[in-house]
Amino acid sequence: MKAIEVNNLSKLYPPNIRAVDDITFSIDLGEIFGLLGPNGAGKTTTLKAITTLGKPSSGTIKAFDIDIIESPQKARQMFGYVPQAVSADGDLTGYENLLIFAKLFYVNKNEREKRINNALKYMGLSDRSQDLVKHYSGGMMRRLEIAQALVNRPKVLFLDEPSIGLDPSSKRQVWEYIKKLNEEFGMTIVITTHDMLEADELCHRIAIMNSGKIAVIDTPHLLKKSIGGDIVSLSLQESGLKLSIPDELGLLIGNDDDRVLISTDNAEIAIPQIIRHFENNGSVVRSVTVNKLTLDDVFMKYARSSLQSQGTIKDNRSVRRSFARRGR
Ligand SMILES: Nc1ncnc2c1ncn2[C@@H]1O[C@H](COP(=O)(O)OP(=O)(O)O)[C@@H](O)[C@H]1O
Ligand SMILES: [Mg+2]
């Protein structure tokens, strides 16, 4: 059984915006799954359809084999949702914000206090639970919103751009909480992001979305491998022209007198072995540089080819610019 199955999902907004255009994918139990793509790709629209907050134009969606379009109530009981825009009320305390959610999700009166306190404690907010939320930092606010979604004890937690607008250290902290929820409770987690680092750090699998379509789905590792891996460049004391390297270390793709280029799956692991190999063969390695592939490179390849097949090169350029700005 899959946690989520989406089949031929489309969403049209009037007059004729194809926000989501016939996408099919599934999410495994216990997986952290990422919908990655630039602004306007259709990520939020997809998430809203799955969480029953937006009605699809066509297609089917199942959660744990339950048709969520036929049984939205059942679906909502299994889901926690943290929207992209700030949803906590600043004029209430942290505790009061969670109480609203507990009531909204019909959490039994006897259970409420315990569940709220557990969720606050889990997200590291117990000591601030009686403070007004408008005095919280951005990171605390986001953690509170995750706590809100946890009151429901969801089987699947959806987070729309979980770290948008956070400073780097709060962002890391939110990532750690997301990983902890997944590891400790085996919770299935679905995030959307335009941040490739975030997707790489958190997700077991990623769907790259662009213009309402999914260009490719795979693990971050295989996505990077599929476009050729990391490039290691070695500078040798003497000519390396006669050298070869064993397959398991990588592929020799350039050999220019005292400079050798090797393409490899994972540079961190391969480099010590490559250096040892060269030194065992009598070559002294003077320096090493690495060009690590990022999901940025992966996006360029897959989103570009999907856009070119649709013939919208102009949009593609702006997409690439917006990724380049954020990527590195
Ligand atoms: N309520 C709406 N009405 C009309 N168009 C919308 C609405 N919501 C989103 N869109 C359009 O649908 C497309 C996808 O939007 P969205 O799903 O929010 O993308 P993302 O979350 O990837 O940034 C965009 O072109 C956006 O302008
Ligand atoms: Mg969005």
Side-chain angles (χ1 to χ4, degrees):
M1 186 172 60
K2 300 279 183 189
I4 305 287
E5 280 174 84
V6 173
N7 276 299
N8 304 105
L9 177 72
S10 291
K11 175 72 179 186
L12 281 139
Y13 288 116
N16 57 357
I17 300 168
R18 274 190 184 276
V20 174
D21 191 2
D22 193 21
I23 62 172
T24 295
F25 65 99
S26 62
I27 298 171
D28 292 328
L29 285 170
E31 172 168 67
I32 305 183
F33 186 88
L35 284 169
L36 174 69
N39 282 336
K43 307 181 296 294
T44 296
T45 306
T46 304
L47 217 59
K48 282 194 170 157
I50 300 174
T51 53
T52 74
L53 300 169
K55 203 169 172 295
S57 307
S58 59
T60 59
I61 303 169
K62 283 187 190 167
F64 302 92
D65 283 340
I66 295 168
D67 185 322
I68 68 127
I69 297 164
E70 278 172 13
S71 317
Q73 199 72 25
K74 273 190 192 159
R76 274 177 228 167
Q77 281 165 7
M78 301 190 285
F79 294 162
Y81 174 63
V82 181
Q84 186 171 338
V86 173
S87 60
D89 186 336
D91 290 323
L92 298 178
T93 66
Y95 188 94
E96 289 164 341
N97 267 287
L98 263 67
L99 186 59
I100 293 178
F101 267 69
K103 289 180 178 169
L104 211 62
F105 282 100
Y106 308 107
V107 176
N108 194 304
K109 216 172 171 179
N110 312 323
E111 274 272 302
R112 270 181 214 154
E113 194 178 329
K114 195 173 101 206
R115 286 230 205 152
I116 292 171
N117 286 328
N118 279 347
L120 287 166
K121 188 166 167 216
Y122 194 83
M123 296 308 294
L125 291 168
S126 293
D127 55 339
R128 301 292 301 271
S129 67
Q130 298 306 325
D131 294 357
L132 293 183
V133 167
K134 63 183 167 199
H135 301 310
Y136 281 18
S137 69
M140 289 170 63
M141 190 92 91
R142 197 59 45 86
R143 272 149 51 205
L144 182 76
E145 289 169 337
I146 298 175
Q148 283 176 344
L150 295 179
V151 165
N152 192 27
R153 299 249 168 105
K155 286 187 175 176
V156 190
L157 178 63
F158 297 88
L159 301 148
D160 198 353
E161 308 256 5
S163 69
I164 203 167
L166 298 184
D167 63 76
S169 90
S170 312
K171 189 186 266 196
R172 291 252 156 221
Q173 206 177 29
V174 166
W175 289 352
E176 289 315 312
Y177 279 107
I178 293 173
K179 283 189 209 167
K180 200 166 104 169
L181 281 167
N182 175 255
E183 281 161 15
E184 285 182 8
F185 303 121
M187 194 180 282
T188 305
I189 296 179
V190 185
I191 71 162
T192 74
T193 183
H194 62 260
D195 178 346
M196 253 135 323
L197 274 178
E198 176 164 81
D200 206 359
E201 174 79 24
L202 286 180
C203 299
H204 300 126
R205 282 191 313 139
I206 293 167
I208 296 183
M209 270 195 96
N210 204 3
S211 306
K213 290 195 174 290
I214 291 179
V216 65
I217 302 184
D218 217 325
T219 64
H221 176 70
L222 288 179
L223 283 173
K224 286 186 259 181
K225 193 175 166 183
S226 72
I227 63 165
D230 301 334
I231 307 293
V232 176
S233 165
L234 300 167
S235 151
L236 305 176
Q237 197 125 36
E238 286 140 34
S239 167
L241 283 177
K242 291 193 197 75
L243 288 168
S244 63
I245 67 157
D247 287 349
E248 63 270 23
L249 294 189
L251 189 67
L252 196 66
I253 54 170
N255 194 342
D256 168 20
D257 199 22
D258 60 351
R259 230 168 61 87
V260 178
L261 283 182
I262 295 163
S263 147
T264 179
D265 285 356
N266 190 333
E268 282 94 340
I269 292 169
I271 286 171
Q273 299 172 18
I274 292 172
I275 293 177
R276 230 172 289 137
H277 171 77
F278 276 70
E279 303 206 326
N280 287 343
N281 286 282
S283 292
V284 176
V285 177
R286 272 200 311 224
S287 66
V288 181
T289 54
V290 182
N291 190 357
K292 273 208 73 80
L293 271 180
T294 64
L295 283 177
D296 219 351
D297 303 307
V298 176
F299 179 83
M300 296 295 190
K301 171 176 161 154
Y302 287 104
R304 183 170 49 196
S305 55
S306 79
L307 280 169
Q308 274 166 351
S309 67
Q310 291 164 39
T312 51
I313 305 295
K314 187 173 125 282
D315 293 354
N316 177 29
R317 256 187 253 122
S318 67
V319 164
R320 287 170 64 187
R321 270 200 302 275
S322 81
F323 261 75
R325 268 202 303 279
R326 301 189 185 271
R328 295 174 205 262

